[in-house]
Amino acid sequence: MVAAASLAVVAGSLVLAAPSQASAACAARTIAGSHPSWATPSADAGAVPAGAEITGTVYLAGQDAAGLTRYATAVSDPSNAAYGAFLTPAQYQARFGATPAQIAAVQKWARDSGLTVVSTTDHAIQVRGTNAAITKAFGTSVHNYRVAGALRHAPSSDVVVPASVSTAILGVTGLTSVGSNVARPDSVKVSTAARPAGATANGAKAASLAASPADGLPTVSTCSDYWGQKIAKGAPAGYTDKNVPFDQCSFYPSQLRKAYGISASGLTGKGATIAIVDAYGSSTMESDANTYATNHGDKAFRPGQYREVVDPTQWTNQDLCGGPEGWAPEEALDVEMAHGLAPDANVVYVGANSCDDTDLLAAITTIVDHHLADVVSNSWGEIMHTTDDLDVTASEIAAYEQVFKQAAVEGIGIGFSAGDCGDSSPLAAATGVNCQADTSRAQANWPDSDPWATSVGGTALGISNKSGSYGFETDMGTLRSNLSADGKSWTPAPPAPFYFGGGGGTSEDFAQPWYQRGVVPGSLSHTLMTGDKSRTAQRVTPDISMNGDLYTSVLVGISDGADYSEAGYGGTSVSSPEFAAVQADVKQALHHAVGFANPSIYARSRVVTDVVDRQAQHSSTPLSSIADFGLVNGTLAVRLVAFGEDTSLNAVRGFDDATGVGSPNLDYFRSFGARR
């Protein structure tokens, strides 16, 4: 066992000093949280039969965890002399990765205990064996527990690993019958009928189904090319007695490029690579993306500009995860937004074998181990604390965070969508359209709340004129009411309950990272989302935000075995690939990798657009519009939508827990050297 190596800067380069000898002997170690809280004595139904086989994953600690954190911090901090001194994957492995000796020791311990080594990587070893072998290896037997009428199995106490391998093991997962948690996409389809191919620059409209009545709303799909262009007349009163505008048509990439200053910057992402991680894979992704791009005046992918890392023979848990057809819209959204906002960047899609957290981590690890990209977008996530005791475990957090730090060391930025359920409270989940019903309390989501990930929140974007100039943004928080059958009222009556909103808030699980100091107000960092006060400053999300509101949606084109069509989608799933594309554009401006984005983001907190709730700025009446989808299955589908109502999260001046520091703009690109 050796102690952590020390870190030094010599002539602007980052070097590792020789490690000192350890002063303490290795000892057996308990893996905290490996015995779930639901596995209580009162629920214990006895030991699993000794011959029953169980599979688990042992994550490897690698070398010098403290040194890894120091190195990742130094090369990510623009104020540090070592900024940008990134390592190659081989250099990372040599300095910080698991050694052959560590891997061999863990394999030997597993086999000597009677376990079968199923697979081995530089990060993890999967093992399988009987309950008797599990008991010998991990110092605890696996029992059945009756929970909510169903049998689950789990270790009867926390797992213990012996002294011989204790320093080589980071964590252990998978020994419970519920396995690791599963993630969900952070996007929702806004229109009930897909728009046809060949959409116009203003967003395709449905064919006329009936004449517009003189005293009511149109029975054809009606939307505005920009905020306030068309006023809805004949609608019942909503949040105001005045007529409000028809909702904007779903955006397409060139509009977003102009609104956020990308077009004016002249940046296209040339020389950068964006990776997208979702579950499974669409059979028609590249052709769909090319059709979408050319439909909206952009260029299709060049040969070799898009590629995939997907293996359908390894796909699992399709019923649980919704299968490839359930994830195909998310994949299309992510790829098309990444290509749309950085049209010259390469895009690689890496499809996880399921929505299980272990498989999603494996997909990210593939990207990092082989340096497949400069920036990674993940449009999925989950809550950390549940009512059914399926909380994210310490071992899972440690495994993800190790890969996040490796990415930072290699100059790769990893971003996650912040979620679509506002503060993720039970109150929000009761009415929200994309929430986890088993949330136990208001909370920040995972994995975006990890301090080594970039949390990308959502806004509602309004463009101001026919030319598509930036008009305004407010926080992504939607209330929705439906027009009654007689056209005379809204259901539910305004104010409607929460429907959809960007995630964010103060994490109870992670302390405040260094880059948030001096930017995040103490009133946020010391106040948990339950209202309890924290003595220590905590991590607050999101970090930065871009358009994602369900009713300032983006068009997405998809076929995946069916006829190609386009429809509007919203969610922070939109925001995450948008920002990944922004960072690809930034790499072009810098002429080198950005790496972990957060320190650079917070250093530019006065450069970005400060997004402030429009209601707080102008009146006590929320911003609202009419979304008219025309006749759908013989029924007039009209919604009254209020914006900027994001549960307990609020967009105020300066950093806030609804939009972070704000949204990127032309000055953001100029601060990295964009010349226009």
Side-chain angles (χ1 to χ4, degrees):
M1 177 179 173
V2 295
S6 60
L7 193 70
V9 177
V10 178
S13 299
L14 196 61
V15 298
L16 287 175
S20 61
Q21 294 299 312
S23 58
C26 299
R29 184 164 63 90
T30 298
I31 306 298
S34 51
H35 170 70
S37 58
W38 48 261
T40 62
S42 61
D44 196 333
V48 170
E53 290 211 328
I54 299 163
T55 300
T57 300
V58 178
Y59 286 101
L60 301 170
Q63 311 166 70
D64 191 11
L68 171 60
T69 300
R70 290 194 297 270
Y71 200 108
T73 301
V75 298
S76 302
D77 185 353
S79 67
N80 193 299
Y83 175 61
F86 303 128
L87 302 182
T88 66
Q91 289 171 327
Y92 167 85
Q93 183 61 34
R95 291 189 179 189
F96 301 114
T99 66
Q102 288 174 320
I103 294 172
V106 175
Q107 290 175 328
K108 182 179 186 302
W109 156 72
R111 292 183 176 121
D112 288 350
S113 300
L115 297 171
T116 298
V117 174
V118 178
S119 63
T120 300
T121 70
D122 290 333
H123 295 270
I125 297 175
Q126 188 178 60
V127 297
R128 183 175 61 239
T130 63
N131 191 19
I134 293 289
T135 301
K136 182 177 180 181
F138 295 108
T140 181
S141 63
V142 177
H143 282 216
N144 283 319
Y145 295 88
R146 190 166 297 280
V147 181
L151 277 182
R152 300 177 181 176
H153 67 251
S156 58
S157 61
D158 276 338
V159 164
V160 177
V161 293
S164 60
V165 293
S166 64
T167 59
I169 292 176
L170 182 67
V172 179
T173 66
L175 298 182
T176 67
S177 55
V178 293
S180 63
N181 292 338
V182 295
R184 54 192 293 146
D186 286 325
S187 64
V188 170
K189 184 177 179 180
V190 64
S191 52
T192 54
R195 288 171 165 150
T200 67
N202 298 326
K205 306 293 193 302
S208 178
L209 299 174
S212 177
D215 59 349
L217 293 165
T219 56
V220 295
S221 177
T222 303
C223 58
S224 298
D225 296 337
Y226 53 89
W227 187 266
Q229 180 201 24
K230 299 177 183 178
I231 303 300
K233 298 179 180 179
Y239 293 90
T240 174
D241 291 335
K242 298 178 181 179
N243 291 327
V244 297
F246 280 109
D247 201 25
Q248 296 168 118
C249 304
S250 296
F251 294 126
Y252 46 92
S254 61
Q255 292 176 300
L256 298 171
R257 292 198 301 268
K258 179 160 188 177
Y260 284 112
I262 299 171
S263 297
S265 75
L267 299 171
T268 62
K270 186 176 181 179
T273 300
I274 303 167
I276 303 295
V277 175
D278 289 312
Y280 312 119
S282 167
S283 60
T284 56
M285 186 63 259
E286 185 172 10
S287 63
D288 288 348
N290 288 339
T291 300
Y292 177 81
T294 56
N295 277 354
H296 300 287
D298 288 335
K299 294 180 181 179
F301 281 119
R302 302 182 306 275
Q305 188 182 0
Y306 173 81
R307 65 189 183 104
E308 297 178 347
V309 180
V310 177
D311 186 357
T313 66
Q314 300 299 310
W315 290 351
T316 62
N317 293 324
Q318 293 190 43
D319 290 341
L320 175 66
C321 298
E325 65 279 2
W327 280 78
E330 181 62 62
E331 178 184 350
L333 161 59
D334 294 344
V335 171
E336 289 165 9
M337 288 303 104
H339 180 51
L341 272 67
D344 284 330
N346 294 325
V347 175
V348 55
Y349 174 77
V350 182
N353 292 329
S354 78
C355 66
D356 183 280
D357 285 353
T358 301
D359 285 334
L360 289 162
L361 174 58
I364 298 172
T365 302
T366 295
I367 296 166
V368 176
D369 279 351
H370 301 281
H371 205 115
L372 299 183
D374 303 295
V375 59
V376 185
S377 175
N378 300 271
S379 290
W380 46 268
E382 63 206 74
I383 56 174
M384 296 195 69
H385 305 285
T386 69
T387 55
D388 44 9
D389 296 317
L390 300 181
D391 291 13
V392 178
T393 67
S395 288
E396 182 179 332
I397 292 170
Y400 266 81
E401 194 163 277
Q402 182 189 65
V403 176
F404 294 164
K405 292 176 184 178
Q406 178 184 349
V409 163
E410 293 180 16
I412 301 171
I414 296 185
F416 284 87
S417 51
D420 300 336
C421 191
D423 61 15
S424 292
S425 63
L427 181 63
T431 57
V433 70
N434 199 23
C435 297
Q436 278 186 246
D438 60 345
T439 181
S440 60
R441 54 191 178 270
Q443 58 186 292
N445 289 351
W446 164 262
D448 73 288
S449 61
D450 191 283
W452 289 95
T454 298
S455 174
V456 186
T459 68
L461 170 68
I463 57 177
S464 63
N465 51 40
K466 289 182 180 179
S467 65
S469 300
Y470 180 95
F472 67 87
E473 282 175 284
T474 191
D475 45 327
M476 175 180 142
T478 303
L479 313 181
R480 193 188 80 162
S481 298
N482 299 318
L483 185 67
S484 63
D486 62 8
K488 295 181 179 180
S489 62
W490 300 105
T491 304
F498 171 78
Y499 185 72
F500 195 74
T506 304
S507 171
E508 63 188 80
D509 301 284
F510 300 107
Q512 183 181 74
W514 85 96
Y515 52 78
Q516 288 197 319
R517 295 172 195 154
V519 178
V520 177
S523 57
L524 285 178
S525 62
H526 286 274
T527 305
L528 302 180
M529 298 174 72
T530 58
D532 293 336
K533 299 297 181 181
S534 171
R535 289 187 177 181
T536 59
Q538 298 294 109
R539 165 91 159 114
V540 185
T541 61
D543 297 304
I544 197 164
S545 296
M546 293 185 71
N547 180 63
D549 195 278
L550 190 58
Y551 286 93
T552 58
S553 60
V554 297
L555 277 176
V556 176
I558 184 172
S559 59
D560 194 35
D563 292 336
Y564 178 86
S565 63
E566 296 182 359
Y569 282 80
T572 54
S573 275
V574 177
S575 313
S576 181
E578 286 174 341
F579 186 68
V582 163
Q583 292 302 97
D585 296 332
V586 166
K587 186 197 175 187
Q588 180 187 1
L590 282 174
H591 304 293
H592 63 75
V594 180
F596 178 44
N598 290 12
S600 294
I601 290 171
Y602 284 86
R604 291 165 171 79
S605 61
R606 297 183 183 276
V607 171
V608 297
T609 299
D610 188 5
V611 178
V612 179
D613 182 9
R614 294 278 291 182
Q615 177 180 343
Q617 284 182 298
H618 298 287
S619 72
S620 60
T621 302
L623 187 71
S624 60
S625 70
I626 300 290
D628 187 345
F629 299 106
L631 288 175
V632 178
N633 298 325
T635 301
L636 188 59
V638 179
R639 319 285 188 236
L640 172 66
V641 179
F643 297 93
E645 302 293 309
D646 196 12
T647 59
S648 65
L649 311 180
N650 295 291
V652 298
R653 296 197 182 279
F655 181 95
D656 57 67
D657 55 6
T659 63
V661 298
S663 63
N665 53 27
L666 179 58
D667 286 341
Y668 180 78
F669 296 108
R670 285 174 172 164
S671 73
F672 288 101
R675 294 183 179 180
R676 288 194 185 179

